[in-house]
Amino acid sequence: MSPGGTSAGTDRLPAQERVRIVEVGPRDGLQNEPTVIDSAVKLELVRRLVGAGLRQIEVTAFVSPRWVPQMADHQTVMAQVMSAAWPGGFSALTPNLQGYQAARAAGAQEVAVFAAASEDFSRRNINCSIEESLQRFRPVLQAAHEDGVAVRAYVSCVLGCPYAGAVAPAAVADLAERLRDMGCYEISLGDTIGVGTPDKTRRLLEQVLRQLPADCLAGHFHDTYGQALVNVYAALDCGLRTFDAAVAGLGGCPYAAGASGNLATEDLVYMLQGMGLQTGVDLDRLVDAGAYICGQLGRRSPSRVARALGARPAKAEIANQQKQGGTG
């Protein structure tokens, strides 16, 4: 259902309507790698993503290197990204005031905080209750308000928890509303373990949209059961126009056994463009960015679109074949 209570109808979306993509691969993706990635590789990945047309990228996390060693170079990465004067907006995850202050010192103009819709997940993931996590955010939001810094919020486990099972849509809606009231301009609803289906996604969003408008919500779907794209489609039908994704499907959740990576940005862009929706992203250059980071990681991209496009003959090769009398 749309925010007004009637079906938005994805088959009737205006052909030129724009969908905003928040690229989370450099942070949400690389922080879950078993090995530490060199700062220069991270910066090159961000440069390539910008070159592909992505205009909102979460580049790092200001968290303790003791717990997330993959993000230990957050100061270097954030500072160099901000000094590069690339087009677009670049954000960082800042779970507490200390992280926020470090991010600001590195030039961050947008930050993100995160909470869980499941008490069990919150306690096992960040070692505190949901209420305690919100109290940790208050100083961050107050400082950000004073500094004129935008704050985005993530809510995890909106469609299921690895420890507690089903999560009530009303609990998600109430938490999202509280984060909005605290000053977060956008709330990203995360299917952390990828158990969502289109019907579950619709039921969740119908509840959340009774309390918040669609333009302050984003969808963040993991592809554990191959449902991420159909969940995006259901969310589009409900009126959402912002989605998180990670190039080459990087990432996952270290606290959720069996949870595979994020929705691949390549797959999301291919579907949206096939629907006539505008993303501002050059798919070929995006695939190249995914191939770059997968080469650095020494593995093949899980993106189906990347694999399909990578199997095609290069444009120059096609042109040469045509000159010689056909492609066979």
Side-chain angles (χ1 to χ4, degrees):
M1 303 291 283
S2 71
T6 59
S7 174
T10 45
D11 58 341
R12 297 188 298 277
L13 289 175
Q16 298 303 309
E17 189 165 355
R18 188 174 185 86
V19 173
R20 175 169 152 264
I21 295 174
V22 179
E23 172 59 51
V24 299
R27 194 280 299 176
D28 192 24
L30 295 183
Q31 78 172 19
N32 288 310
E33 286 299 314
T35 57
V36 175
I37 308 302
D38 189 80
S39 302
V41 172
K42 295 176 182 178
L43 290 164
E44 177 61 15
L45 174 61
V46 174
R47 186 190 71 80
R48 288 173 182 245
L49 292 169
V50 171
L54 288 155
R55 290 296 177 262
Q56 185 159 0
I57 304 173
E58 191 175 66
V59 298
T60 191
F62 284 80
V63 293
S64 170
R66 177 185 172 191
W67 298 111
V68 190
Q70 295 86 345
M71 297 285 109
D73 60 352
H74 44 229
Q75 203 81 23
T76 297
V77 171
M78 190 84 241
Q80 292 195 29
V81 165
M82 296 308 295
S83 66
W86 290 325
F90 306 94
S91 63
L93 191 70
T94 57
N96 51 42
L97 183 59
Q98 182 180 0
Y100 171 80
Q101 292 169 338
R104 284 290 290 151
Q109 295 297 316
E110 178 173 331
V111 299
V113 296
F114 62 91
S118 160
E119 283 288 355
D120 286 0
F121 191 85
S122 182
R123 292 184 184 280
R124 298 200 192 198
N125 187 9
I126 54 177
N127 198 32
C128 67
S129 69
I130 295 173
E131 185 61 38
E132 288 168 340
S133 73
L134 296 179
Q135 295 310 314
R136 289 181 186 179
F137 302 154
R138 289 191 183 280
V140 175
L141 287 157
Q142 181 178 349
H145 176 74
E146 293 170 355
D147 295 342
V149 171
V151 182
R152 192 174 193 249
Y154 292 99
V155 176
S156 59
C157 295
V158 300
L159 289 167
C161 169
Y163 312 114
V167 174
V172 177
D174 289 345
L175 179 56
E177 185 175 34
R178 290 189 67 184
L179 288 164
R180 173 72 168 177
D181 291 345
M182 288 171 66
C184 298
Y185 80 91
E186 184 171 77
I187 295 88
S188 175
L189 304 174
D191 183 13
T192 307
I193 55 175
V195 294
T197 60
D199 283 351
K200 290 179 181 178
T201 297
R202 287 191 178 92
R203 284 195 294 271
L204 169 69
L205 291 176
E206 285 169 3
Q207 178 70 48
V208 177
L209 289 166
R210 293 189 184 106
Q211 297 175 228
L212 292 171
D215 62 7
C216 74
L217 300 173
H220 184 123
F221 299 103
H222 284 209
D223 209 28
T224 311
Y225 292 89
Q227 300 294 293
L229 281 177
V230 291
N231 287 331
V232 168
Y233 194 92
L236 284 167
D237 199 40
C238 291
L240 270 65
R241 294 296 181 269
T242 298
F243 297 94
D244 300 349
V247 64
L250 296 172
C253 178
Y255 298 95
S260 60
N262 290 291
L263 169 60
T265 314
E266 299 94 320
D267 297 354
L268 176 61
V269 169
Y270 181 85
M271 185 186 82
L272 294 174
Q273 291 183 351
M275 295 172 66
L277 301 171
Q278 302 302 304
T279 65
V281 177
D282 183 314
L283 184 56
D284 287 330
R285 296 185 74 174
L286 177 61
V287 169
D288 288 343
Y292 167 76
I293 192 60
C294 286
Q296 295 295 318
L297 297 173
R299 63 169 179 260
R300 189 183 184 197
S301 173
S303 163
R304 292 176 175 84
V305 168
R307 292 185 182 189
L309 294 181
R312 297 186 314 181
K315 292 178 180 178
E317 181 181 340
I318 293 174
N320 186 51
Q321 289 174 340
Q322 290 173 336
K323 286 181 182 179
Q324 295 178 12
T327 59

